[in-house]
Amino acid sequence: PVFQQKSLLQPSRPLSQRGFAWHPFHQKFAIALPNDTIAFFDLNLQDWLQLVLSHELQRDICTLEWSPTAANTLAVGCRKGVLLWQIADKDSDDGNTATGVPLSAQPFNHGSGWAHYLPYPGLTPVSTLSWSPFGNFLAASSLNDSTLVVWDVSLHVPTPFYRFGKGISLVKWSPDGTHLFVAYLNGSFRVWHTVEWTNEEVVVSGIIHTAAWSPDGQSIVFGIEGASAVFVFNLEHRQSGRLAINDVSRTECILGSTTQHIGGSVKELAWDPTGQRLAVSFDGNLPGNELVALFYCPTYLSFVPLGFIRGPFGCENKAEALRFRPN
């Protein structure tokens, strides 16, 4: 979890809720700041890198996502489209990463960066992004448009998937690349099969605002605005059209010598890379809701309370973002 903490963030760089992403190979993260710049923090150095990304088209940042296969490629969704940043190694003349070198060993130094602008008519702002696991496609969508746009990243060519209705709240590519989860503001979601690009629709009781795939790509958990539950959709049992529902409205928490109950409507979900732990944060101002609940997941149907995470000592703020570090 990321909390607003003075020891971690310089006073001149307050935390923004609009974008946060772990680097897929290095012990670093990128974060979007309120002035529409992107800064980078190095966990090993416990300090900010000198590199800060800014661009005249980079306004009202909504989301950012690292490429899962290119060590120095960062996609940013903002008001007028997508900016695809290429971050150059400061020791490289041409800005290219090393070839034939494992991605985890490729450099990420504070050099410079340049951006490719990827606009699409009507897709403004770009509020959610998701990379295919092989890094060749980038899905983009907007709260103001029901069109899903999938970019061929190497060619910078978009493919639109038109649907009538309201906008899209969320897109999530499955870890194996075979499915794409798309949640709509009309209270439904579609699961696209990315081999033949067909889809199936499921109607739910509200707007999905957070979701996470299981590492095997067979299940996705999601939260609905105002609902005190974690919903599960499993691909193997999708023909039944039924969703598994796990109530998180009341979870016991032992704090010192007292037992406290936390819970409420789900704010954000994160599933760890092993598939064994699910992190849940909550909306509302109930006592204890500044904690993040951890659940053990023996199967995709059962979530067993495991423990809780509190912010740094003296920090009573809620978690601003939940992301398990991929590496």
Side-chain angles (χ1 to χ4, degrees):
V2 175
F3 298 83
Q4 189 168 357
Q5 173 72 356
K6 291 183 179 179
S7 63
L8 181 64
L9 298 168
Q10 298 177 10
S12 61
R13 294 182 176 179
L15 185 63
S16 165
Q17 300 182 41
R18 292 174 297 168
F20 175 91
W22 284 108
H23 194 280
F25 317 116
H26 299 287
Q27 306 300 306
K28 300 175 176 68
F29 62 76
I31 192 166
L33 303 179
N35 62 355
D36 289 317
T37 62
I38 297 172
F40 303 88
F41 190 84
D42 188 313
L43 267 68
N44 293 325
L45 299 176
Q46 283 294 296
D47 200 2
W48 294 95
L49 302 183
Q50 295 177 5
L51 176 65
V52 175
L53 301 179
S54 63
H55 195 282
E56 60 182 2
L57 294 174
Q58 188 169 276
R59 297 290 181 266
D60 298 330
I61 298 173
C62 297
T63 183
L64 47 90
E65 295 288 342
W66 288 103
S67 166
T69 57
N72 291 347
T73 300
L74 179 69
V76 181
C78 44
R79 182 199 305 169
K80 294 187 176 182
V82 178
L83 287 179
L84 196 62
W85 284 97
Q86 303 294 326
I87 302 170
D89 173 17
K90 68 178 181 180
D91 299 322
S92 172
D93 293 332
D94 58 6
N96 294 324
T97 55
T99 58
V101 178
L103 288 169
S104 59
Q106 290 186 12
F108 185 88
N109 297 327
H110 14 107
S112 59
W114 65 94
H116 297 280
Y117 178 45
L118 305 179
Y120 189 84
L123 200 70
T124 57
V126 173
S127 51
T128 181
L129 295 169
S130 184
W131 287 91
S132 65
F134 304 108
N136 50 340
F137 297 113
L138 178 67
S141 65
S142 173
L143 291 169
N144 295 328
D145 198 299
S146 58
T147 300
L148 169 70
V149 177
V150 177
W151 288 90
D152 184 313
V153 176
S154 61
L155 300 176
H156 296 173
V157 174
T159 300
F161 295 87
Y162 298 105
R163 286 293 179 273
F164 294 106
K166 298 182 179 179
I168 295 174
S169 61
L170 200 63
V171 293
K172 290 282 185 179
W173 221 297
S174 67
D176 60 4
T178 60
H179 294 86
L180 181 63
F181 177 87
V182 183
Y184 294 84
L185 295 180
N186 64 359
S188 69
F189 68 84
R190 293 178 185 268
V191 178
W192 287 85
H193 307 265
T194 60
V195 177
E196 64 274 14
W197 285 104
T198 59
N199 73 88
E200 53 192 290
E201 183 182 23
V202 178
V203 177
V204 293
S205 57
I207 298 174
I208 297 172
H209 65 285
T210 180
W213 281 98
S214 61
D216 63 4
Q218 292 302 301
S219 300
I220 187 166
V221 296
F222 58 87
I224 294 176
E225 287 188 358
S228 301
V230 176
F231 299 84
V232 187
F233 180 75
N234 181 261
L235 295 178
E236 293 181 356
H237 301 92
R238 62 181 179 269
Q239 291 183 350
S240 68
R242 299 182 61 183
L243 300 173
I245 302 174
N246 294 270
D247 184 9
V248 292
S249 60
R250 185 179 175 86
T251 304
E252 282 193 355
C253 171
I254 299 176
L255 300 174
S257 59
T258 62
T259 299
Q260 189 171 356
H261 295 90
I262 70 169
S265 59
V266 172
K267 178 181 179 182
E268 192 168 6
L269 301 167
W271 213 333
D272 88 320
T274 69
Q276 295 184 349
R277 294 175 299 168
L278 181 74
V280 182
S281 62
F282 301 97
D283 276 325
N285 297 315
L286 295 176
N289 274 12
E290 74 280 2
L291 303 175
V292 174
L294 281 179
F295 294 88
Y296 171 60
C297 310
T299 71
Y300 77 91
L301 286 174
S302 59
F303 300 134
V304 180
L306 182 64
F308 300 88
I309 299 174
R310 183 188 291 279
F313 180 77
C315 175
E316 297 299 328
N317 294 333
K318 293 182 181 180
E320 300 283 348
L322 294 184
R323 304 287 190 278
F324 279 100
R325 193 173 66 194
N327 52 357

